[in-house]
Amino acid sequence: MSPQPRLPRMFFQRNTVTVARELLGKRLVRIEHGKRLAGYIVETEAYRGEEDMGCHARAGLTPRTRVMYGPSGHAYVYFTYGMHWMLNFVVEQEGFPAAVLLRGIQPCEGVEIIAERRKGQPSKRWTDGPAKICQAFNITGEMNGIDLCAEEAEIFIENSFPHEMIHAKHVSVGPRVGLFTVPEPWKSIPWRFMLDEKIIESE
DNA sequence: AGCACGATTAACT
DNA sequence: GTTAATCGTGCTC
């Protein structure tokens, strides 16, 4: 499919859970040296506010969480486990800290570059985790805070199914991953969204 | 200043 | 199923 309109800031400036759900099926695009890498979003998680004990913003406003308190439509990129980068999208109103974590995509453009960066792994495992996406798309902390809605943005989200919404029967929901020491109800709240990849159109 | 742990991954057994 | 890799962050002393 040819390039589509980018999602505007108003898309991100809404309830975190709504945005996480509606990002399924949209396309993540990365511009590198003028070349497009892209993939359909198939898995997201919502992290919402200081009350959410699974969200980094539970620590309040710190150097790390500052971007989440800023305007929506920006990238929140953080480092964890001593080696991995994670890409999130800042959402909700400025001043309310919240973000959507990108956990899975299905590559559709720049596949040969993605394959090279994920060399040694089968194609099903190229971008099926948050750190794998950042490795495949060459996304690091240098991109923390960039505006996805700016004209010159090197990362943004595109519409991909302009005439049809993703139907609920193609979406599964569950608890967020990796929150081992987070108390309830936050540990089990169903804020993880997965798209049935069989409905993704091929190029 | 020191410490425990993390929104993970890959390579093991 | 288990575990090492590896270091920034936030909390405690």
Side-chain angles (χ1 to χ4, degrees):
Chain A
M1 185 193 277
S2 55
Q4 293 289 317
R6 300 183 190 186
L7 300 186
R9 199 174 314 283
M10 284 307 298
F11 178 91
F12 300 97
Q13 199 167 327
R14 298 180 296 155
N15 176 274
T16 312
V17 179
T18 301
V19 175
R21 161 67 177 76
E22 292 190 12
L23 276 172
L24 295 178
K26 302 289 193 293
R27 236 181 351 232
L28 172 73
V29 181
R30 168 92 166 95
I31 307 292
E32 253 192 312
H33 311 116
K35 180 173 171 55
R36 283 171 59 103
L37 306 183
Y40 292 98
I41 295 174
V42 297
E43 184 176 345
T44 61
E45 283 177 357
Y47 290 87
R48 186 172 192 276
E50 295 178 352
E51 305 307 308
D52 175 5
M53 297 307 284
C55 180
H56 290 160
R58 66 183 179 274
L61 178 56
T62 69
R64 184 202 213 188
T65 62
R66 177 177 48 81
V67 173
M68 272 200 284
Y69 286 80
S72 62
H74 289 241
Y76 169 43
V77 184
Y78 71 90
F79 186 66
T80 191
Y81 287 102
M83 64 195 90
H84 298 306
W85 294 103
M86 312 272 171
L87 173 63
N88 302 251
F89 310 119
V90 176
V91 295
E92 307 246 7
Q93 294 292 321
E94 183 168 357
F96 185 90
V100 174
L101 171 68
L102 184 62
R103 285 197 63 90
I105 67 171
Q106 178 179 311
C108 62
E109 296 178 54
V111 176
E112 63 293 333
I113 293 174
I114 293 166
E116 173 65 22
R117 291 185 176 148
R118 299 288 300 136
K119 192 165 45 182
Q121 300 295 329
S123 59
K124 288 302 291 182
R125 304 222 179 112
W126 284 347
T127 53
D128 64 343
K132 300 178 188 182
I133 295 167
C134 288
Q135 184 189 341
F137 278 42
N138 190 27
I139 292 167
T140 69
E142 294 176 12
M143 282 138 201
N144 188 39
I146 66 168
D147 184 1
L148 306 178
C149 305
E151 194 63 38
E152 69 279 10
E154 294 180 321
I155 304 174
F156 53 89
I157 311 292
E158 273 182 0
N159 263 316
S160 60
F161 296 92
H163 302 302
E164 55 179 314
M165 293 292 295
I166 299 293
H167 194 280
K169 69 185 177 187
H170 298 302
V171 176
S172 45
V173 180
R176 297 172 293 181
V177 176
L179 306 187
F180 304 106
T181 65
V182 171
E184 300 291 359
W186 308 108
K187 183 174 181 165
S188 301
I189 197 166
W191 283 358
R192 178 190 189 195
F193 298 92
M194 289 158 287
L195 179 62
D196 178 354
E197 301 192 24
K198 289 191 292 294
I199 76 159
I200 296 291
E201 61 190 86
S202 48
E203 288 294 305

